[in-house]
Amino acid sequence: MRRPVVHRRDPRLEIITEAIERLIPGATPAFLLVTVVEQLPGTGETSVNTWSGKPEGLATKVFTALYGRPRTEEPPSPLARAEDARRALGLVGEINALTAADKALTSAPWYPARPGDLVHLHYPQAGDFPEFGETYIVGDAGDGLLSLQLLAHTLPATEDADGIVGCFASEASDQPLYELWFEAGPHLLTIVRDGRPVHAGGAR
């Protein structure tokens, strides 16, 4: 069981958005447009008062009326951004989002990872899970590959940590930070090399 990585979109907002998108069964969400028209009583004619927007725009208005403005403190991970791009622009948007995230990783001045690098992952509070962190260390797995081993975590002992912490550990990989970068997101990572932070995405 993997602890779900925090996504910027509230699940209630996603439910409302999907309900609107399903008003037309089988429609492609990226092509949907919602229009609300004021109709004059008894005439069948419409006035100039209309509202048009994407389903997510209407969903946000409904969500805000019910619960207040959606929380957007945490930016989306590259995978979440690719999912949003696919919904809005289709496969091309998804590929472009993933390509941009890959370039951001591979062009970083500290890339690639080296044995001895420390990687800290911050988990914001989500549902019943408290805020906590994990620390991994990059090791030499031989044959040009690297390992990623969990050193410590701060999930309270009262929580069931089995199967939750350490989910990004790997025995051997040519890119041990790839999954962390894409699934958790660079904004939640702090990477330390030779005692100095070389990537401070988790800094406030």
Side-chain angles (χ1 to χ4, degrees), residues 142-194:
D143 296 326
L145 301 177
L146 298 172
S147 63
L148 189 65
Q149 300 298 322
L150 179 71
L151 283 181
H153 67 85
T154 59
L155 185 65
T158 55
E159 296 289 339
D160 181 11
D162 293 340
I164 298 175
V165 298
C167 62
F168 291 104
S170 62
E171 293 296 327
S173 172
D174 57 347
Q175 298 190 73
L177 304 186
Y178 198 83
E179 189 176 7
L180 272 167
W181 186 269
F182 276 80
E183 188 169 334
H187 62 291
L188 297 179
L189 301 178
T190 300
I191 300 171
V192 177
R193 175 174 294 164
D194 299 332

Side-chain angles (χ1 to χ4, degrees), residues 3-112:
R3 183 195 190 280
V5 176
V6 175
H7 192 287
R8 67 183 171 91
R9 289 173 63 87
D10 189 298
R12 296 170 296 180
L13 179 57
E14 293 184 337
I15 291 171
I16 296 172
T17 302
E18 290 175 1
I20 296 171
E21 291 171 346
R22 290 172 183 164
L23 289 173
I24 302 179
T28 302
F31 301 148
L32 286 175
L33 184 68
V34 179
T35 301
V36 179
V37 180
E38 179 186 24
Q39 188 175 58
L40 298 176
T43 66
E45 299 178 356
T46 58
S47 74
V48 295
N49 295 319
T50 63
W51 180 91
S52 295
K54 302 291 289 183
E56 53 264 37
L58 177 58
T60 299
K61 289 181 179 292
V62 173
F63 183 97
T64 302
L66 291 172
Y67 309 111
R69 292 196 59 79
R71 294 182 60 186
T72 58
E73 289 85 350
E74 293 294 341
S77 70
L79 283 182
R81 188 176 292 116
E83 178 185 340
D84 288 344
R86 184 181 70 244
R87 290 167 59 92
L89 303 172
L91 183 60
V92 173
E94 179 182 16
I95 292 174
N96 288 342
L98 293 174
T99 300
D102 180 79
K103 183 177 180 180
L105 171 61
T106 57
S107 65
W110 48 264
Y111 183 87

